[in-house]
Amino acid sequence: MIGAGSAALRKVMANPLGRKKQEPDQHEGFEDPLANDSINTIIEGEIIPRLLMAHAVGSSDELHDGKNRIAPPRADDFALLPLRLEASSLIAEVDAFLAEGVSVDAIFVDLLAPAARKLGEMWDADECDFIDVTMGLWRLQEVMREISTRAPANRFQPDATAARALFSPMPGDSHNFGAVMIDEIFARAGWHSTVVTKPLRKELLDTLSREPFDLVGLTVSRDCPSSALENLIKAMRSVSANPHLSILIGGQMINQNPAIVAEVGADGTGADARAALEVAQRLVQSAAVRAHMLR
C-alpha cells in the first residue's frame, strides 16, 4: 500500500481474522475494548477520515449546489466496484463523474468515503472476505491519491468574527469518521472548527471550560445509554465558558431515533454533515439573539 493509508491497511492485514461484531462491555459503559481490532473500526476510524482529509470539503455554497451532489443510487453502484475493478478502472469511473461537472469535494464525500464504509459493512455481514476488503481499500486509496494530486485544496481560513465549533465522538466511541467529516465541512463553510478524535470525558469538559465555543457537535455511531448522553450534555453546559452554548448530536443511533435529541437535552441534529451545518447556523444565530436580549 502506498501513501497515508498504508499503516492502517498494514494494521488490518496484521489481524486478518478481525475480531468482529463484539458486543459492548457492560462493565465499561458502552466502550468495546476489542473494537480497535476490527476491520470495520479501522475503516471508520482511520481509512475514511484520510479520504476526507485528503481533500477538504467545499464552501457552504458549493455544498448546496446540485451539481456537487451524487445521487445515492449511483453512489451505491460505485461502492461495489472496488471489489472487482483495478484502481485505473476506478479512476476512469471517477473521471466520468468529473466530466459531468461533479465537484472533487462530492467525489470524496459522496462517493469514496461511502464506498469505504460499504466494504466494512460487507465484511461485518460476511459478504466478502479479508482479501476482498484489503484490495478494495487499496484501490480506493489509489483513487484518492490520484484525485488529490490533480486537485489539491487548502482549508478555508475563517475571519475573526466566525462562530466557533468543537466536534467530538462520544467519549468511549472509537469511530471518529463523523466528527472528522463534520469538522471539515464547518471549517470550509467559514467556522473556527476544532475536532477531538479520541476524547476522554475530562479532556472534553476541560476544553469547553477554557474556550468559549458557540457550538458542540457530538457524534454517536453506536448504541449507548441515553442517560450517559444526557449526563454529558448537562456537564458540558455547566462548565462551558459560553453560557449560550448550542449542542448538536448526530450519528447512526440518533438518526434511527431522532426523539433522543429532546430526551437528552440537546438542541438539534442533522441527518448528515450538510444538514447539521444548516441547523447549527440557525442555532447559533438564535443564541446570539438571546444573549443580546439578556444584556
Side-chain angles (χ1 to χ4, degrees):
M1 178 61 204
I2 300 171
S6 59
L9 279 184
R10 283 196 297 272
K11 185 174 179 182
V12 174
M13 295 177 73
N15 182 17
L17 297 180
R19 299 173 184 169
K20 297 188 297 176
K21 303 176 184 176
Q22 297 291 335
E23 294 299 323
D25 186 337
Q26 300 302 320
H27 300 291
E28 298 289 342
F30 64 97
E31 181 173 6
D32 176 5
L34 300 179
N36 288 334
D37 291 329
S38 73
I39 285 180
N40 201 30
T41 295
I42 292 172
I43 290 171
E44 288 283 349
E46 299 185 41
I47 300 294
I48 295 177
R50 285 190 175 98
L51 286 172
L52 296 167
M53 292 294 284
H55 187 90
V57 182
S59 68
S60 180
D61 289 341
E62 290 174 334
L63 291 170
H64 295 91
D65 188 338
K67 75 177 183 180
N68 286 313
R69 303 300 300 270
I70 296 175
R74 298 187 70 191
D76 291 343
D77 290 341
F78 178 87
L80 299 176
L81 297 182
L83 294 175
R84 60 182 181 85
L85 296 184
E86 296 299 328
S88 59
S89 297
L90 289 176
I91 291 170
E93 294 285 336
V94 169
D95 283 340
F97 282 100
L98 294 172
E100 294 174 11
V102 173
S103 71
V104 173
D105 299 323
I107 295 298
F108 279 81
V109 175
D110 292 336
L111 203 66
L112 300 186
R117 188 184 301 111
K118 179 65 175 178
L119 289 177
E121 292 171 353
M122 293 178 72
W123 165 263
D124 275 347
D126 295 322
E127 295 175 0
C128 59
D129 62 24
F130 166 72
I131 297 299
D132 289 335
V133 171
T134 303
M135 291 305 299
L137 290 174
W138 183 86
R139 291 160 181 160
L140 287 174
Q141 289 283 341
E142 287 296 289
V143 174
M144 176 269 291
R145 193 165 65 95
E146 169 66 19
I147 302 302
S148 295
T149 300
R150 293 187 202 169
N154 296 318
R155 193 175 174 91
F156 187 87
Q157 295 299 316
D159 62 40
T161 62
R164 298 170 60 85
L166 174 66
F167 297 103
S168 169
M170 182 75 176
D173 194 331
S174 61
H175 293 214
N176 59 28
F177 160 65
V180 170
M181 187 173 81
I182 201 169
D183 166 66
E184 284 293 323
I185 287 181
F186 274 65
R188 289 305 300 263
W191 290 58
H192 285 283
S193 187
T194 302
V195 62
V196 182
T197 56
K198 295 182 179 179
L200 298 174
R201 177 187 170 96
K202 183 179 185 302
E203 175 189 4
L204 192 58
L205 295 178
D206 285 349
T207 300
L208 283 171
S209 69
R210 291 194 307 268
E211 300 182 47
F213 289 98
D214 299 289
L215 177 88
V216 170
L218 283 176
T219 60
V220 186
S221 64
R222 55 179 174 171
D223 289 343
C224 73
S226 296
S227 58
L229 189 52
E230 180 181 11
N231 181 273
L232 178 61
I233 288 174
K234 287 180 178 177
M236 290 193 300
R237 293 195 192 280
S238 68
V239 303
S240 175
N242 176 6
H244 305 289
L245 178 71
S246 296
I247 298 176
L248 282 180
I249 58 175
Q252 183 178 5
M253 172 182 167
I254 312 304
N255 288 344
Q256 291 174 346
N257 184 12
I260 292 175
V261 175
E263 182 181 323
V264 300
D267 296 305
T269 188
D272 55 29
R274 291 179 173 98
L277 177 60
E278 296 180 359
V279 174
Q281 288 169 335
R282 293 197 298 269
L283 286 174
V284 170
Q285 289 170 358
S286 297
V289 170
R290 292 197 303 272
H292 179 76
M293 293 177 64
L294 292 173
R295 289 176 184 171

